Amino acid sequence: AEAELARREDDNSVQSHVHEALTALLEGGNLIAWSRDATGAVRWAGGAVASPTGVISADALLAELPRPPRDGAVPAQRTRLEIVDGQGGSVPLHVVEVAGSEAAHGYAVDATASVSAERTLARFVQTMTETFAHLTVGLAIFDRNRSLALFNPALVQMWQIEASRLVSRPSLRDILDTLRMNRRIPEVADFRAWRDELLALLDDPEKVDYDALWHLPDGSNVRVFARPHPHGLLAFVFDDVTERMRLEQRFRHSIELRRATLDRLDEGLAVFGADGMLQFMNSAFHRIWGSDPASFGAATHARDLVEFCAAASVEAEVWDRALSFITAESERRAWSARLTLGTGRILSARVATLPEGASMIVFVDITDSENMAAALRERNEALEAAEEMRTAVLERVSQRLRTPLDTVFDFARLLSEDESDGLSERQRGFADGILEAAGQLLDAIDDVTELTALQLEPLHDETAPHRVWETLALVAALLRQRAEAKGASLGLAEATEADAHLVPDLPALRQIVFALAAKAIERARPGARIVLAARAAGETTLEVEALQPCEDGALRTCGKPNTLIGRLTERAGGEYELIVDAEREEAREICRFPGVLAPPEEAEPAGLPDPPEPPELIDEASGDDPAAAPGSGRGRRTPGRRE
């Protein structure tokens, strides 16, 4: 009896605790609890749900609960109800009711947060669905079971598979087999290995980073991306890039065509961007300037190119203006200039603007036209000189030949026309012969005069080779003004045995000599004298030298070899050497060219031949012929004159 009493006391204690806990939950837990019998009648109810607009009581909730059928008990249910609170607001409640053997027990809590989350999720899903529906790229998402979980309409058109079949959630393997039948995948040698490679992506979707370009049999191109998707899914993106690749190919072809066109122009062209970096340079530029194509690339700034061109031309001030034009940000106007290279070539340069702040320099070799104009001027001067010479010859012939011949003709005519008996018939015949011979001689003199006027010899041979001395003199004449601007002087050494004919590669030698002198002028200090010299080293080797004084402070600068001159000399088949003499305080840059000079036995005299002396004319009328002898018939006779 005591044990039974103790057990009941324990049960009462537990029941008391349960009652206390339920009461606390109902009072502060913001929930409603109830108990109904099999007929739906409420046996007990308690609690309330507070909302932002009011409070929902247990009676208000129980009034909205559905009644059980007449012949059955209260069914178990899990539902959501919209209950109107005391202020007229609608509050969603999450209702759960559990059916027992004799009664049903239930509870209800506020579902506002979950309803809001569900509505947000629904709006998000709707937005994503509409977005995917309007995408031009195909989207396919596969779940952990390797089945198609989501796709958009663009994928149906791209795969050429019915939407009803995709809705049935086929596997990736089935889709690949169908695509193979529809010829919507690349034609590969081993299809199974290719398919297994794609199926292996689903083994570990979180590490997938697939990017491939599919070339389909119909000529289209599809870019395929595979990326991991949350919750173990895998997303494929199919982008049809056929038109894009076609446009890119056309664009590249257009660019290559324009580059090829510009590269085949005879005019040298260099294009610079708005930042002053070199964008394009054609082959004619390297041919005109003698530059190495490997020395100028995309990393070349306009400053480097201007420095190279300024060292190879006479007009250094033009390049300062060109650099300012290329790097300027303000409004610019095109301009032109005339350049003279160290090789003797003459260029016409035009600097102009391009769209988006770019600029270009165009070089045209006008040496031939300038030489033609100079040749025309020289020819005109030569023609004028020839005309003067012809006039002088005619006057001299008229003075030295025609005058005594006229005298002979007049005396012979007097003898022939004399009516006195002083001459016999035989003598008169001699006089007539003299008249006839004098007339023939006058005709011959006229013919010779006309022939002399028509067959004048050229003043010089334009094809004759030049001499080393002429090259040094030309460079000195071109750069003398630049040297004077630096306060230095530029001179030539005395002519030596190297002053002989050269092989036809004269422009290269001119460019090297020009570069030697220009670099020496650039490093020269005020008062320095630079000397250009040429000499023969052996029978056929030519040495060209630039001698420059260097003080103690300038020895370091003078002691640096000139890489430009070295490259030019090596390209011409020669050797470059720099000798710095610290004791004499001078630097010598020497360029040797083997096989340039003609051997002494083959060398021809250079220069223009002196014109031959004119033959001495004899004045027969005055009898001043030193070769005349008595009785020779060439002396002076004074016959009588007859009208």
Side-chain angles (χ1 to χ4, degrees), residues 200-262:
L201 300 176
L202 297 172
D203 296 338
D204 192 359
E206 296 181 357
K207 298 182 180 180
V208 171
D209 189 9
Y210 180 80
D211 185 356
L213 182 63
W214 290 5
H215 301 283
L216 304 187
D218 61 353
S220 58
N221 300 278
V222 178
R223 194 70 175 265
V224 182
F225 302 91
R227 296 291 185 270
H229 196 269
H231 307 293
L233 306 182
L234 183 64
F236 282 90
V237 178
F238 300 86
D239 186 9
D240 191 346
V241 296
T242 305
E243 188 63 25
R244 187 188 312 166
M245 293 184 63
R246 185 179 295 111
L247 292 177
E248 291 178 356
Q249 185 177 4
R250 291 180 181 177
F251 179 75
R252 288 194 299 267
H253 177 71
S254 177
I255 294 297
E256 293 175 358
L257 180 60
R258 294 179 182 179
R259 285 181 175 271
T261 302
L262 295 176

Side-chain angles (χ1 to χ4, degrees), residues 5 117 127 129 149 221 253 312 327 330 400 428 439-440 478-479 488 521:
L5 181 60
T127 302
T129 303
N221 300 278
H253 177 71
T327 57
S330 58
R400 302 299 298 272
R428 291 181 185 277
Q440 294 176 356
L478 292 174
L479 295 178
I521 293 173

Side-chain angles (χ1 to χ4, degrees), residues 427-576:
Q427 290 175 336
R428 291 181 185 277
F430 290 159
D432 293 339
I434 293 173
L435 286 175
E436 183 179 358
Q440 294 176 356
L441 184 57
L442 282 175
D443 294 338
I445 291 174
D446 292 337
D447 294 339
V448 170
T449 303
E450 294 179 0
L451 184 63
T452 304
L454 295 176
Q455 297 182 355
L456 292 176
E457 294 293 335
L459 297 179
H460 65 278
D461 185 5
E462 297 180 354
T463 62
H466 296 271
R467 298 178 297 174
V468 180
W469 182 262
E470 295 174 351
T471 301
L472 299 181
L474 174 62
V475 172
L478 292 174
L479 295 178
R480 185 169 286 112
Q481 185 176 1
R482 183 187 292 189
E484 292 174 357
K486 287 279 291 186
S489 61
L490 180 62
L492 303 177
E494 296 183 359
T496 62
E497 62 273 14
D499 189 14
H501 292 177
L502 298 176
V503 294
D505 194 15
L506 181 62
L509 178 62
R510 286 183 179 178
Q511 184 177 11
I512 293 172
V513 176
F514 185 92
L516 277 173
K519 198 64 177 180
I521 293 173
E522 181 181 354
R523 297 182 302 192
R525 292 194 172 186
R529 174 171 175 78
I530 303 168
V531 180
L532 299 178
R535 57 180 174 271
E539 294 184 352
T540 61
T541 301
L542 171 67
E543 287 187 355
V544 179
E545 175 185 283
L547 179 63
Q548 176 188 3
C550 293
E551 301 178 0
D552 293 339
L555 285 176
R556 179 177 300 177
T557 304
C558 297
K560 295 181 179 180
N562 195 312
T563 57
L564 173 62
I565 299 176
R567 291 199 304 268
L568 293 175
T569 305
E570 293 177 358
R571 186 181 302 175
E575 300 176 355
Y576 170 80

Side-chain angles (χ1 to χ4, degrees), residues 100-115:
S101 58
E102 297 180 355
H105 311 282
Y107 69 93
V109 295
D110 189 359
T112 303
S114 60
V115 169

Side-chain angles (χ1 to χ4, degrees), residues 43-101:
R43 299 170 56 184
W44 170 84
V49 175
S51 67
T53 58
V55 177
I56 299 175
S57 63
D59 297 337
L61 171 63
L62 293 174
E64 299 294 334
L65 288 178
R67 296 292 180 179
R70 295 180 179 180
D71 55 351
V74 177
Q77 60 180 337
R78 184 184 295 270
T79 184
R80 182 175 296 162
L81 298 176
E82 295 282 343
I83 307 300
V84 178
D85 58 15
Q87 302 295 329
S90 179
V91 178
L93 296 179
H94 184 65
V95 178
V96 177
E97 195 169 24
V98 180
S101 58

